[in-house]
Amino acid sequence: MPVATQATIKTLTPEEVIAVGAQIVLGNAYHLFLRPGVETVDRLGGLHKFMGWPRPILTDSGGFQAFSMGSFRQVDEDHIRFRSHIDGTEYRFTPELAIANQQGLGADIIMCLDQCIAYGAERDEVVRAMDRTHRWAKLCYDAHYVSPAPTYSDNTRRQALFGIVQGGTFADLRRESTEFIASIPFPGYAIGGLAVGESKSQMYETTVQVTELLPADKPRYLMGVGSPEDLVEGVAQGVDMFDCVLPTRVARNGALFTRTGRVNISNRRFAEQDSPLEEDCDCYACRNFTAAYLWHLFKAKEVLGLRLASVHNLRFILRLMDGIRQSILEGRFEGFRRDFHHVYRPTDEATRQRQKEKWLAARGGV
Amino acid sequence: MPVATQATIKTLTPEEVIAVGAQIVLGNAYHLFLRPGVETVDRLGGLHKFMGWPRPILTDSGGFQAFSMGSFRQVDEDHIRFRSHIDGTEYRFTPELAIANQQGLGADIIMCLDQCIAYGAERDEVVRAMDRTHRWAKLCYDAHYVSPAPTYSDNTRRQALFGIVQGGTFADLRRESTEFIASIPFPGYAIGGLAVGESKSQMYETTVQVTELLPADKPRYLMGVGSPEDLVEGVAQGVDMFDCVLPTRVARNGALFTRTGRVNISNRRFAEQDSPLEEDCDCYACRNFTAAYLWHLFKAKEVLGLRLASVHNLRFILRLMDGIRQSILEGRFEGFRRDFHHVYRPTDEATRQRQKEKWLAARGGV
């Protein structure tokens, strides 16, 4: 799922997002709650109509951003308290409000309010966050399915509410959390609390621990992941859905995915390249422009460069997922996975860390 | 002509520029000379291929920007000397180099090197600049038509070179300049040195003085103009072609053209408007999104907002020109002109001045 943080996939129109092959996009309830506001979106006909997106949308609960972007945030037993990063106004997200917000926005899939803990937290802190996440999951389920408050438009009952597994990288806690969340009959399950600083191998191990315990007939969603290599590995571990800002975020820094790994279009070697960035890429940028033109647009700081880079990276990711799906249907996923890793060289940990720090510094929070 | 300063109409793809109805765009030789460089553009197949634009292009000579954007610039008898605003490298534009640069870029219409003087200059300064412009016009004509140096690709001979009239706001100098430039058989003529600080009435008067002396069977191009009201008046004074960054530049500040005048989309009154900015506008933005969504995109500082605003303003301007052409063909231009001014309220001088100063301050030069 490409990420439409503020009701737009950054730099792109809905038609362009459809053209890259997106089946569904993700919206951030935290951002939309603050601006333009849930009531406004509801009054304007819901998020699909507001942003002109005709396909499914998933919204997150807003909890993750409230905790990571808001200031003076504090998690209590029954709510997350935070101040808006825009104007400092204080708000509280309760499980019930998180559901009401998402009902008002009108996405097709909505998420439980959970507490995501950074990697490296003490075990007792992880336990507390997990227990809280479990209590909130029940409250969210009840608020959405059992005794819904009909605050917003009447089609809310058709929204699918997903539960979220927490438990950090502690194997026993992940087991406990998966069993608890899976005991609630959500139509889908998400794995939260990963891609928050742990190593790749820890992420992969934890993912497979969880997916082995989740029902086989319901979708599994690994939140906030990820890079091309993480998508391939995530599928290998039994995951069906992913979301990540990575393809569009790194695109705006000129980092473009290619079959063999990420390249930076600002590199002088592209200045005179009279052919597309990738000859066999079918994206709008590669079909219509040379790498030299992309290089020029980035050097000249032209917005069209950000657009073309975003289109290319999204198409790369969605074509990768297409390839994965096709290989599964044809019973040759393991071969696909081996071939992918043989050719694609992931960005090394140090580079990734530098990029992440730069990004965190730029926005003053996760 | 929408302006593609750096080989892109800011924020838009070629398809989008075609969709708004542009028949021709303008590229800036100064910018393209510095980056990516004329030789690079020539090697990559010329400006049309480089930027993916399938219709005509006009390039300016680069002189105006060399003088207004370069630093330490100085005009001598046979060249403009300046330092690049990018890296401080010193360059000289001679008439011959200005022609060679534009031959290398490969536009369909190219311009003579001239010297544009700011409004308010002393008469003797205006005379010197005019005389220099006249000498350079002959040198440019010779360099392009009489004894061309075959530096670049062989289709350069099909480029049309336009002459440029100068002479400030002095009626006798404008007459002298028009007669001189019109005596050289250029395929088209431009009016330079206007929209540089003089009043609207001075601009209109000077324009009509010049057009009355220009041959009736060749296109007349009023450089750097303009606003909707200036386009209507320019046509009334006998002008055929215009270029201006105004529609796209003010769009990026949220200033959008409507039938009754400019509005700012960031104004709170649009926050809940559940209808397009203009009901009868056929642009992509108005056909697909509400004013409330545009308001949100600008508030959230989303790039898509800049795109939709640029599309809307260009479509407004090009639809205005369509209307003008149609009214001329049907012999009812004066009625069209009267109706336009009856409904459209121009941005007042004070607001325009503030906007101009803000813009000048932001880019440190004209």
Side-chain angles (χ1 to χ4, degrees), chain B residues 281-317:
Chain B
C281 177
D282 63 358
C283 86
Y284 172 77
C286 288
R287 277 189 295 102
N288 289 278
F289 302 99
T290 58
Y293 186 61
L294 290 184
W295 180 87
H296 167 71
L297 293 176
F298 268 87
K299 278 290 165 193
K301 300 191 193 317
E302 285 286 353
V303 165
L304 183 57
L306 311 181
R307 293 179 54 183
L308 297 179
S310 299
V311 161
H312 174 80
N313 274 3
L314 284 180
R315 181 61 193 145
F316 180 92
I317 289 290

Side-chain angles (χ1 to χ4, degrees), chain A residues 6-8 10-16 32 35-36 40 43-44 49-52 271-274 284 288-290 292-293 295-297 299-300 302-304 306-307, chain B residues 6-8 10-16 32 35-36 40 43-44 49-52 271-274 284 288-290 292-293 295-297 299-300 302-304 306-307:
Chain A
Q6 304 190 104
T8 160
K10 286 197 187 302
T11 84
L12 303 182
T13 61
E15 289 79 1
E16 287 162 344
L32 299 171
R35 192 174 49 199
T40 297
R43 196 157 44 229
L44 293 167
K49 179 154 179 276
F50 182 60
M51 63 186 283
E272 305 272 334
Q273 184 178 319
D274 191 16
Y284 171 77
N288 289 279
F289 302 98
T290 59
Y293 186 62
W295 181 87
H296 167 71
L297 293 175
K299 278 291 164 192
E302 284 286 353
V303 165
L304 183 57
L306 311 182
R307 293 180 54 184
Chain B
Q6 304 190 105
T8 161
K10 286 198 188 301
T11 82
L12 303 182
T13 62
E15 288 80 3
E16 286 161 345
L32 298 170
R35 191 173 51 199
T40 296
R43 196 157 44 230
L44 294 168
K49 179 153 179 277
F50 182 61
M51 64 186 282
E272 305 270 335
Q273 185 178 318
D274 191 17
Y284 172 77
N288 289 278
F289 302 99
T290 58
Y293 186 61
W295 180 87
H296 167 71
L297 293 176
K299 278 290 165 193
E302 285 286 353
V303 165
L304 183 57
L306 311 181
R307 293 179 54 183

Side-chain angles (χ1 to χ4, degrees), chain A residues 20 25 27 45 89 106 110 153 209-210 295 298:
Chain A
V20 297
V25 299
T89 309
I110 65 178
S153 53
Q209 272 172 26
V210 174
W295 181 87
F298 269 87

Side-chain angles (χ1 to χ4, degrees), chain A residues 221-292:
Chain A
Y221 161 28
L222 181 54
M223 303 180 82
V225 172
S227 62
E229 66 272 20
D230 288 349
L231 296 179
V232 174
E233 286 313 290
V235 171
Q237 287 133 24
V239 175
D240 302 298
M241 301 168 61
F242 305 86
D243 79 283
C244 197
V245 294
L246 187 83
T248 43
R249 174 157 48 83
V250 301
R252 296 195 302 280
N253 294 325
L256 298 181
F257 295 131
T258 73
R259 281 184 68 237
T260 54
R262 257 195 242 175
V263 298
N264 200 299
I265 193 65
S266 299
N267 191 304
R268 181 78 217 171
R269 75 184 155 111
F270 294 113
E272 305 272 334
Q273 184 178 319
D274 191 16
S275 58
L277 177 72
E278 283 213 292
E279 283 289 2
D280 66 345
C281 177
D282 63 358
C283 86
Y284 171 77
C286 287
R287 276 189 297 103
N288 289 279
F289 302 98
T290 59

Side-chain angles (χ1 to χ4, degrees), chain A residues 134-187:
Chain A
H134 293 176
R135 275 197 307 281
W136 290 357
K138 287 182 100 157
L139 292 170
C140 286
Y141 187 88
D142 289 351
H144 189 59
Y145 289 114
V146 182
S147 47
T151 336
Y152 294 107
S153 53
D154 38 38
N155 69 343
T156 54
R157 305 299 292 277
R158 297 172 57 198
Q159 297 179 289
L161 172 65
F162 281 22
I164 305 176
V165 172
Q166 289 287 348
T169 46
F170 299 95
D172 58 328
L173 299 184
R174 279 285 169 182
R175 166 174 290 272
E176 182 183 341
S177 186
T178 310
E179 286 172 350
F180 181 90
I181 296 294
S183 74
I184 306 176
F186 290 112

